[in-house]
Amino acid sequence: MDKMPDRRISDQACRALVNRYITRERIRPGDIAILLGNDTFIEKAGWRRVIAGYPVTACNSPGENAVVVDTIRRFKGLESKVVMLVLTRDLVSSTELLYVATSRARTHLIIIGTDRNIDAARQSG
């Protein structure tokens, strides 16, 4: 099965949402965290340095002007004003990681994924 369309859709959605929250909602880049189940998506999307024109950092070196992009495991124990969770097929089967990810947002939680993955996550919780 080709995973590319899911990744492309999630990539486009994350870029659009980061841009929206920073430009329209006036949220500082440092108050946005994008969480993923593993590093593979981060690497394939090219988010190690920039997303939607904004610098990216890992959760262990946050900054006011950089969007945090990291794995759920590394973000455990931290929180952010806005959390975008990229819900992949492998993440749906881990209720512990889903709980950690969905409990990290202080004001906004955005879940990005296919209808199938979102339905599966609802059923597992």
Side-chain angles (χ1 to χ4, degrees), residues 24-36:
R24 292 188 198 159
E25 307 292 332
R26 304 277 189 232
I27 302 289
R28 293 178 318 146
D31 287 333
I32 299 172
I34 300 174
L35 303 182
L36 300 109

Side-chain angles (χ1 to χ4, degrees), residues 35-38 71-74 76 85-103 111 116-125:
L35 303 182
L36 300 109
N38 58 55
T71 65
I72 297 164
R73 281 185 173 82
R74 285 193 290 263
K76 191 173 183 177
L85 171 60
V86 178
L87 190 59
T88 56
R89 187 175 26 181
D90 58 325
L91 183 56
V92 169
S93 62
S94 175
T95 54
E96 178 190 351
L97 285 180
L98 284 174
Y99 172 76
V100 170
T102 58
S103 63
I111 299 176
R116 174 183 269 168
N117 289 343
I118 291 171
D119 288 343
R122 283 184 184 140
Q123 291 173 7
S124 71

Side-chain angles (χ1 to χ4, degrees), residues 17-31:
L17 286 165
V18 165
N19 190 49
R20 176 183 146 204
Y21 274 93
I22 293 171
T23 59
R24 292 188 198 159
E25 307 292 332
R26 304 277 189 232
I27 302 289
R28 293 178 318 146
D31 287 333

Side-chain angles (χ1 to χ4, degrees), residues 17-87:
L17 286 165
V18 165
N19 190 49
R20 176 183 146 204
Y21 274 93
I22 293 171
T23 59
R24 292 188 198 159
E25 307 292 332
R26 304 277 189 232
I27 302 289
R28 293 178 318 146
D31 287 333
I32 299 172
I34 300 174
L35 303 182
L36 300 109
N38 58 55
D39 286 314
T40 304
F41 190 100
I42 300 169
E43 296 297 331
K44 289 183 178 179
W47 292 352
R48 281 290 178 210
R49 290 194 168 85
V50 68
I51 182 168
Y54 297 95
V56 165
T57 190
C59 66
N60 60 354
S61 58
E64 283 187 25
N65 297 318
V67 176
V68 171
V69 177
D70 218 328
T71 65
I72 297 164
R73 281 185 173 82
R74 285 193 290 263
F75 203 75
K76 191 173 183 177
L78 302 174
E79 58 182 24
S80 183
K81 185 179 271 186
V82 176
V83 170
M84 297 179 199
L85 171 60
V86 178
L87 190 59

